[in-house]
Amino acid sequence: MTPERLMTINDRRRRNVVRRTNDARSANGNQVGSFMGFLQFFTPKSFDVFEEKGDRLVRSNDLGLAKLQYEEALLRLEKSTPPEVSEHRHRIELKIQDTRESLALQHKVSAGELVAAGCLEEAGELLELARELTCDPQLIQDVDNLVAEVA
């Protein structure tokens, strides 16, 4: 059997499985499932959902969105009352601080590249953001030095 023929057979099998799955769903009264999915849309998500999403965003190096997800997790935690609130709060606050520092460092590096390319206005905006995000004294000094270079 040729590889092309084998691929065609496998594709046909996959389509049949999908078709049978869809038929079974409609035969089982999928209206109830879709209504339950509709209700899930309105139920509030727990803080850990946002924390996990933030973790995934950090792994994909999307630090800005990760910071926002962690902040949302902290807000949701404040509204809920799980048993170890302080432990969860401390962990999420550390994650927020880590993403802020990483994001500030990322902005500083990007601003340095923009300065080297002669894009001083854009570099100044990134340096301002980096300055707002960080609490690290060394990074603040580095950012201030770059700002002086830009000005």
Side-chain angles (χ1 to χ4, degrees):
M1 200 179 274
T2 65
E4 293 84 20
R5 175 85 175 127
L6 189 59
M7 284 179 57
T8 308
I9 291 171
N10 286 338
D11 289 341
R12 196 174 308 136
R13 286 182 183 154
R14 269 192 228 108
R15 280 187 297 230
N16 286 338
V17 168
V18 169
R19 189 178 309 124
R20 280 186 296 225
T21 303
N22 289 339
D23 290 345
R25 284 183 183 155
S26 60
N28 289 334
N30 198 24
Q31 296 81 13
V32 173
S34 64
F35 181 71
M36 294 303 284
F38 179 73
L39 287 179
Q40 278 185 327
F41 180 74
F42 289 107
T43 56
K45 295 179 183 172
S46 174
F47 73 93
D48 56 343
V49 172
F50 292 97
E51 183 181 6
E52 289 170 12
K53 191 171 183 182
D55 292 342
R56 283 193 308 272
L57 288 166
V58 166
R59 284 191 297 272
S60 68
N61 204 27
D62 198 346
L63 300 174
L65 288 176
K67 179 182 132 337
L68 294 174
Q69 290 299 317
Y70 289 141
E71 288 171 348
E72 182 64 28
L74 193 59
L75 287 174
R76 297 291 172 116
L77 180 64
E78 302 287 329
K79 292 178 184 176
S80 67
T81 54
E84 297 96 16
V85 171
S86 63
E87 177 186 325
H88 295 299
R89 180 181 296 118
H90 181 68
R91 184 182 65 238
I92 293 172
E93 287 173 346
L94 282 176
K95 288 180 179 184
I96 290 172
Q97 187 59 37
D98 287 345
T99 55
R100 288 174 62 98
E101 295 298 329
S102 298
L103 192 57
L105 183 60
Q106 202 175 58
H107 285 333
K108 181 196 144 255
V109 169
S110 297
E113 293 170 357
L114 287 170
V115 167
C119 302
L120 302 180
E121 187 175 329
E122 291 87 355
E125 291 173 4
L126 280 179
L127 291 171
E128 184 180 324
L129 283 173
R131 183 78 162 80
E132 291 174 11
L133 288 169
T134 190
C135 294
D136 179 20
Q138 181 61 46
L139 188 55
I140 290 172
Q141 184 178 2
D142 292 345
V143 167
D144 289 343
N145 292 339
L146 269 175
V147 167
E149 189 178 317
V150 169

